[in-house]
Amino acid sequence: MTNLTTPGIPAQKQFADDVRSGLSRGGQKELPSKYLYDNLGSALFDAITLLPEYGLTRADERILQRHARDIAKFIPHRTMVSELGSGSGRKTRPILNALRTRGPLAYYPIEISSAALASCEMELRDIESVSIVGVESEYLAGLAEVAERRAADLHLFVLFLGSTIGNFDAGADARFLREVRQTLRAGDSLLLGTDLIKPRDQLIDAYHDPRGVTAAFNLNLLGRINRELDADFDLRQFEHVARFNEATQSVEMHLRARHEQSVAIRDCGLTVAFAAGETIWTESSHKYTPQDVAELADASGFAMQAQWIDEKWPFANSLLVAA
Ligand code: AVI
């Protein structure tokens, strides 16, 4: 695998800045969900995808396995593929297999973590006629880099799977897709995975599983702050909370202080006071209707071309075309 890297603000400085601003504000304390994914957090997320209560990843994979050839029919023969957040790459195999039958194919997974890129290459390197060029970068910068490298006559097919779009703040999903659209040419394609609305109990079980894996995933964010920013969070003094926010149609994860306490975060030059029961909001996972996805596409410069829905665990993969 070839690796392309985009320079940016040093990651540790950005992390310290985000933690300082999220924990020192008045009102609801917050931490950006992207920081859940250090090496341990990514391993815990992989474990979440195997939980019986968390059907999202299996639904996404079922759609891709069953419909990869139907999806490929919409994609022009001369194409290259890029994926925003490839993770291990396992989900992508059926799509690459369906497209490579038409000739050699270049696949550009974009990941912030070199470990994820390495495991993606391990997973997919046996696929014949597919060359993998990893891009170690944030999504939009990485996609701009990929778009710059394409030949004039080549179509670009972007994958954004797993309902990661649902983890953006309200309104930020459309803003992000508009920025993706600006990087593309009219006629390029985007396959967008979105988790759909389902009964509240089922959603809460998925985000507050009885084995405590999601709790460990959430609490690890405090452990990461301890490790990387010289802080002294006592993880036992916080508990994982998952709640459904009706107004935003999102499952929210929080970390709730079991008691009043204060925590020093030395690399942020900060001591944070927590009241008993106060929470840090760590993630939102928006749940869509199929119609929401069509409206989101419209609002961001795409048109819906086709949509595949898993009935067992309501989840949609929608093929959007850049208008
Ligand atoms: C990555 N993302 C789509 C997951 C989700 O379901 O929102 C992250 C996750 N958080 C808790 N469990 C899984």
Side-chain angles (χ1 to χ4, degrees), residues 1 17 83 98 108 111 150 153 205 230 233 250 293 312:
M1 173 167 75
D17 289 351
E83 181 165 10
Y108 295 82
E111 267 293 346
R150 73 151 133 184
D153 62 336
D205 282 355
D230 193 13
F233 277 104
S250 305
V293 185
K312 194 164 163 197

Side-chain angles (χ1 to χ4, degrees), residues 37 45 48 54 56 162-164 167 207 214 217 253 283 285:
Y37 300 90
F45 176 67
I48 288 174
Y54 188 82
L56 188 156
S163 203
T164 301
N167 296 133
Y207 290 84
T214 312
F217 171 66
M253 294 203 311
E283 186 190 65
S285 190

Side-chain angles (χ1 to χ4, degrees), residues 14-323:
Q14 185 69 59
F15 184 34
D17 289 351
D18 289 344
V19 168
R20 190 182 305 103
S21 84
L23 297 186
S24 59
R25 66 177 57 155
Q28 176 68 62
K29 293 180 168 59
E30 273 180 51
L31 290 169
S33 61
K34 65 179 177 183
Y35 295 119
L36 291 163
Y37 300 90
D38 63 349
N39 285 345
L40 179 54
S42 299
L44 288 165
F45 176 67
D46 286 345
I48 288 174
T49 66
L50 303 175
L51 292 171
E53 296 81 12
Y54 188 82
L56 188 156
T57 310
R58 285 184 294 280
D60 195 8
E61 288 178 355
R62 266 194 302 275
I63 295 173
L64 297 173
Q65 274 158 12
R66 285 183 190 160
H67 300 289
R69 276 192 278 170
D70 305 326
I71 295 168
K73 285 183 195 146
F74 288 90
I75 306 300
H77 277 212
R78 283 198 35 78
T79 194
M80 60 196 256
V81 180
S82 184
E83 181 165 10
L84 307 176
S86 56
S88 74
R90 196 179 65 213
K91 287 199 288 269
T92 318
R93 176 178 287 273
I95 294 282
L96 297 178
N97 266 330
L99 293 171
R100 79 186 169 94
T101 56
R102 295 116 49 112
L105 184 70
Y107 167 58
Y108 295 82
I110 301 171
E111 267 293 346
I112 195 75
S113 121
S114 56
L117 280 179
S119 71
C120 172
E121 195 217 358
M122 283 285 282
E123 173 73 29
L124 299 174
R125 70 178 164 191
D126 64 307
I127 308 184
E128 247 175 71
S129 331
V130 175
S131 56
I132 306 177
V133 185
V135 183
E136 192 179 331
S137 171
E138 299 268 353
Y139 296 153
L140 290 169
L143 189 60
E145 208 170 320
V146 170
E148 260 172 40
R149 303 181 112 226
R150 73 151 133 184
D153 62 336
L154 215 53
H155 171 268
L156 179 53
F157 180 24
V158 180
L159 310 175
F160 194 28
L161 304 173
S163 203
T164 301
I165 189 79
N167 296 133
F168 286 65
D169 291 341
D173 51 1
R175 279 199 299 282
F176 178 78
L177 289 188
R178 270 198 291 278
E179 291 197 55
V180 169
R181 169 64 192 89
Q182 277 161 20
T183 315
L184 303 181
R185 292 190 203 133
D188 284 339
S189 312
L190 171 68
L191 187 66
L192 180 68
T194 47
D195 200 21
L196 300 180
I197 280 288
K198 47 188 65 64
R200 304 295 175 266
D201 293 354
Q202 196 179 359
L203 283 173
I204 296 304
D205 282 355
Y207 290 84
H208 199 160
D209 63 277
R211 290 168 185 80
V213 182
T214 312
F217 171 66
N218 198 7
L219 283 161
N220 176 57
L221 181 46
L222 302 184
R224 178 176 185 180
I225 295 172
N226 284 348
R227 285 190 297 276
E228 296 183 20
L229 299 177
D230 193 13
D232 58 10
F233 277 104
D234 179 349
L235 274 54
R236 289 187 186 79
Q237 305 311 323
F238 286 82
E239 64 182 330
H240 167 69
V241 176
R243 57 169 84 127
F244 191 75
N245 182 328
E246 290 289 340
T248 60
Q249 297 286 289
S250 305
V251 181
E252 290 181 2
M253 294 203 311
H254 291 250
L255 290 163
R256 180 160 56 208
R258 293 180 191 272
H259 321 278
E260 185 183 321
Q261 57 198 288
S262 59
V263 177
I265 309 175
R266 280 170 282 276
D267 288 0
C268 295
L270 190 69
T271 298
V272 188
F274 291 92
E278 186 177 2
T279 73
I280 309 172
W281 181 13
T282 52
E283 186 190 65
S284 285
S285 190
H286 184 70
K287 304 302 165 191
Y288 297 83
T289 65
Q291 184 55 29
D292 289 340
V293 185
E295 285 166 15
L296 180 62
D298 256 17
S300 35
F302 289 93
M304 171 93 80
Q305 236 182 347
Q307 190 174 60
W308 295 267
I309 292 181
D310 188 76
E311 299 299 338
K312 194 164 163 197
W313 176 279
F315 186 95
N317 270 315
S318 307
L319 187 64
L320 312 184
V321 61

